[in-house]
Amino acid sequence: MYVGRDMTELSMMGKQDWSDKELAFFHHNLQQIAPYLNSEGLTIHREIVKEIISRGGMRQEADWTSGSRVHYD
């Protein structure tokens, strides 16, 4: 279960200030409902995707404490 800032709080911040977990969580959720999003929702999702790409994607180096994907749970 996601425990973090909600979209109301995050919408008042730049996407560059979001954590990787927040980007991953909201990207996943918006991706699931993409066919039902209006133009504002699509713009928000597009901005999230751009920020993820600018950070080099959602993959990270795996080590003994974590895998290679960002988990928001």
Side-chain angles (χ1 to χ4, degrees), residues 1 12 15 19 22 25 37 40-41 46 53 57-59 67 69:
M1 175 182 221
M12 294 183 231
K15 304 290 185 285
S19 71
E22 290 164 340
F25 176 75
L37 292 175
E40 184 177 355
R46 192 174 308 117
I53 291 169
M58 296 306 293
R59 297 270 180 198
R69 292 187 180 191

Side-chain angles (χ1 to χ4, degrees), residues 13-32:
M13 306 169 53
K15 304 290 185 285
Q16 67 275 7
D17 297 326
W18 291 25
S19 71
D20 289 345
K21 290 183 178 194
E22 290 164 340
L23 287 170
F25 176 75
F26 286 105
H27 169 60
H28 176 75
N29 286 330
L30 291 172
Q31 187 178 34
Q32 296 293 312

Side-chain angles (χ1 to χ4, degrees), residues 40-67:
E40 184 177 355
L42 290 172
T43 300
I44 292 168
H45 189 222
R46 192 174 308 117
E47 291 171 354
I48 290 171
V49 170
K50 284 182 183 178
E51 182 61 28
I52 290 169
I53 291 169
S54 74
R55 294 185 187 191
M58 296 306 293
R59 297 270 180 198
Q60 61 187 14
E61 186 69 27
D63 61 15
W64 67 276
T65 61
S66 62

